[in-house]
């Protein structure tokens, strides 16, 4: 199982809308089975020091490299949060969405892999 770790900067320096967006995505993906762990520099400073990779990134680039997103022991994103599709791809890389046909509104021709005409 993949584990995503998000190492964030101090809360007072973060954009509230972006934090709300990320919190919503973390809640959503956690509910469907993802393992996501968030650490804040002010609230969990020991987590930053305990992880040698994160510590090296901070030593080399300062707090400007935050947030640092890791999957298992690999840094996958720095300086920004993942988007919704990135969360999905990083957490569930082997998932196949081709068989799912309910992404659109079938009443307007968007479902079942058809071209959306709405």
């Amino acid at each position: 199982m993949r584990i995503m770790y998000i190492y964030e900067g101090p809360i007072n320096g973060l954009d509230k809308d972006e934090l709300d967006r990320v919190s919503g995505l973390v809640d959503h993906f956690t509910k469907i089975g993802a393992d996501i762990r968030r650490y804040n520099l002010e609230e969990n400073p020991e987590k930053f020091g305990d992880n040698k990779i994160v510590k090296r990134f901070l030593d080399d680039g300062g707090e400007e490299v935050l947030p640092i997103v890791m999957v298992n022991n690999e840094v996958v994103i720095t300086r920004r949060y993942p988007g919704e599709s990135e969360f999905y791809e990083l957490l569930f890389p082997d998932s196949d969405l081709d068989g799912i046909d309910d992404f659109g509104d079938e009443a307007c021709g968007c479902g079942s892999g058809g071209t959306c005409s709405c």
Side-chain angles (χ1 to χ4, degrees), residues 13-49:
L14 301 176
D15 178 85
K16 184 181 176 344
D17 291 337
E18 182 70 351
L19 283 177
D20 290 344
R21 180 190 73 83
V22 171
S23 293
L25 288 170
V26 168
D27 288 344
H28 168 74
F29 284 105
T30 301
K31 287 178 184 172
I32 62 171
D35 189 350
I36 304 172
R37 303 171 191 187
R38 289 174 81 177
Y39 303 119
N40 180 275
L41 186 58
E42 289 176 335
E43 297 172 10
N44 315 101
E46 71 283 355
K47 296 293 185 181
F48 289 73

Side-chain angles (χ1 to χ4, degrees), residues 54-116:
V54 171
K55 185 174 178 349
R56 188 181 78 230
F57 269 82
L58 284 172
D59 288 346
D60 291 347
E63 289 183 24
E64 291 79 31
V65 299
L66 299 174
I68 296 172
V69 180
M70 298 180 71
V71 175
N72 296 340
N73 290 318
E74 180 183 349
V75 173
V76 293
I77 297 174
T78 62
R79 300 179 190 269
R80 67 176 179 85
Y81 291 99
E84 182 176 355
S85 62
E86 288 175 308
F87 266 102
Y88 190 85
E89 291 167 7
L90 292 168
L91 293 165
F92 306 105
D94 299 326
S95 294
D96 181 12
L97 298 178
D98 290 341
I100 299 174
D101 63 9
D102 62 345
F103 282 113
D105 180 358
E106 294 205 15
C108 73
C110 296
S112 300
T115 303
C116 187

